[in-house]
Amino acid sequence: MSLLKSVRTAAAPPVRRTVQPVRSGRRALLEPLVFAVVLSLIHLLVDQSLQFVLTLGVVYALLTASLGVLLGWSGVYSFGHAAFFGAGAYAAGLLKDHDLSPLLVVLAGTVVAAAAAVAVGALGARIVGVEFALLTLVVGQVAYLLTFKLDLLQGDNGVYGIPAGTLAGRDLTDGQHLWWYTVVVVAVLLGVLRRVQLSPYGAGLNAVRDDPVKAAAIGLPVRALRLSAFTLSGAVAGVAGVLFAQQQGIVTPTTLTFTFSGQIIVMLLLGGLHRFWGAAVGAIVFVLLDDRLFGETTHHSLVLGLILLVVVVVLPRGLLGLAEPVTALVRRRRSS
């Protein structure tokens, strides 16, 4: 049975197939549009320093959403997700002297990160759970150490002087132009991810997450689905890495550290692990909190631990979980 046919087996009941694609398409179009419009309005109202932070938050929103493909959709654990983010960022850095279109650089970073994800996923194809998470942790640490062993990666100094580039005659070194470029790329990719999540393929990943044994029993290729999810996740993280490099103008080994991988997990948990937009909300809130409240502290690990403790104890379902009573009330009123 082909992958597509197997995934369709776990999709919604046949009576809903005629309407579900239409609804899914609308949601995948409207939700990212609302995301981009709301954040753009906020971007126009805040000062320049906060605009820079908000742009970074949007980049991290995409990065956190890519991890959501694993933890939230398919139940694949990863403790080294920063490796794919760093792969995209360093790919952009190594292409800095080639005068390429920013979108071509994004494409190159995507290919590099996706290739790395395929290699790691194939290496760990026969292991799951904590064992696979430890494999990703080891891979992340190896990638981090490579930045000090390979001369072209410049060690602690990092790769600097990365140009944002020019797109459609607009110089992306201008903060406003960079914002529109970043938010459009992120919104488009979030829309694609949303459509994928609402598709039969997404339903197949959910089935693998909930009970891989039953998923295999109904004919779903569990290993192939996990590998494809890992590849998709790595590719999207690579795009976020390129956007980060284009905004910052430099990439250093800190983008590959275990601490940064932990931050991505905290962002996802903060917003809501099993809610698609929880990743974006958690990332943006985390970045704003880090800049405004914890930016001056030298104890980032302690702060990270405190935030994680608060999330686990007070907000086990994330920030978007706070809206559950309201949405339940609306649904009851609609059904009555």
Side-chain angles (χ1 to χ4, degrees):
M1 182 181 291
S2 68
L3 176 61
L4 182 58
K5 289 182 179 178
S6 299
V7 171
R8 284 176 177 170
T9 305
V15 293
R16 298 181 59 190
R17 286 181 182 173
T18 57
V19 295
Q20 188 65 24
V22 176
R23 291 179 181 175
S24 300
R26 289 176 180 172
R27 292 177 66 179
L29 178 64
L30 292 177
E31 290 176 4
L33 182 61
V34 171
F35 167 83
V37 170
V38 171
L39 288 181
S40 295
L41 289 175
I42 296 173
H43 185 269
L44 293 173
L45 295 174
V46 299
D47 59 65
Q48 190 171 4
S49 63
L50 198 54
Q51 287 179 344
F52 183 86
V53 175
L54 191 59
T55 304
L56 179 62
V58 170
V59 172
Y60 282 175
L62 182 63
L63 171 61
T64 309
S66 72
L67 181 61
V69 174
L70 298 179
L71 297 184
W73 302 11
S74 51
V76 176
Y77 301 110
S78 175
F79 292 162
H81 202 62
F84 308 111
F85 178 79
Y90 271 99
L94 296 178
L95 292 173
K96 66 176 184 175
D97 297 323
H98 292 273
D99 194 26
L100 298 175
S101 164
L103 293 179
L104 284 178
V105 178
V106 167
L107 179 60
T110 304
V111 171
V112 170
V118 169
V120 175
L123 181 64
R126 295 183 178 275
I127 56 177
V128 295
V130 176
E131 291 83 359
F132 185 80
L134 292 176
L135 171 65
T136 63
L137 174 61
V138 170
V139 169
Q141 289 302 105
V142 169
Y144 173 75
L145 293 174
L146 281 177
T147 62
F148 298 95
K149 299 296 182 180
L150 300 179
D151 293 338
L152 74 166
L153 300 182
Q154 304 294 316
D156 268 330
N157 294 326
V159 180
Y160 56 88
I162 303 172
T166 302
L167 186 65
R170 305 289 183 178
D171 185 2
L172 298 184
T173 55
D174 179 273
Q176 293 297 325
H177 295 160
L178 180 64
W179 165 260
W180 290 113
Y181 162 72
T182 302
V183 78
V184 168
V185 171
V186 170
V188 168
L189 284 176
L190 288 178
V192 171
L193 287 180
R194 185 58 164 155
R195 185 66 185 89
V196 170
Q197 186 200 33
L198 296 171
S199 69
Y201 171 77
L205 291 180
N206 292 163
V208 170
R209 175 199 65 198
D210 296 338
D211 195 325
V213 175
K214 287 183 179 179
I218 64 174
L220 291 177
V222 174
R223 288 181 184 172
L225 282 171
R226 283 175 171 159
L227 178 59
S228 64
F230 199 76
T231 304
L232 174 63
S233 176
V236 175
V239 175
V242 174
L243 295 176
F244 174 84
Q246 290 172 336
Q247 184 207 16
Q248 302 289 320
I250 184 173
V251 54
T252 65
T254 56
T255 59
L256 295 162
T257 60
F258 168 70
T259 302
F260 185 55
S261 290
Q263 287 180 354
I264 306 170
I265 296 174
V266 171
M267 292 178 203
L268 183 59
L269 295 176
L270 178 61
L273 176 60
H274 297 298
R275 292 162 180 80
F276 180 83
W277 291 103
V281 171
I284 293 171
V285 170
F286 181 92
V287 170
L288 292 175
L289 286 176
D290 185 58
D291 178 74
R292 294 298 163 176
L293 299 180
F294 311 124
E296 300 298 325
T297 182
T298 57
H299 303 288
H300 282 280
S301 297
L302 176 61
V303 171
L304 185 65
L306 290 175
I307 293 176
L308 182 59
L309 179 63
V310 170
V311 170
V312 171
V313 175
V314 182
L315 299 170
R317 297 186 177 182
L319 292 173
L320 291 191
L322 298 175
E324 279 190 352
V326 177
T327 55
L329 179 61
V330 171
R331 288 173 181 172
R332 283 198 300 268
R333 288 187 175 181
R334 284 182 177 179
S335 59
S336 61

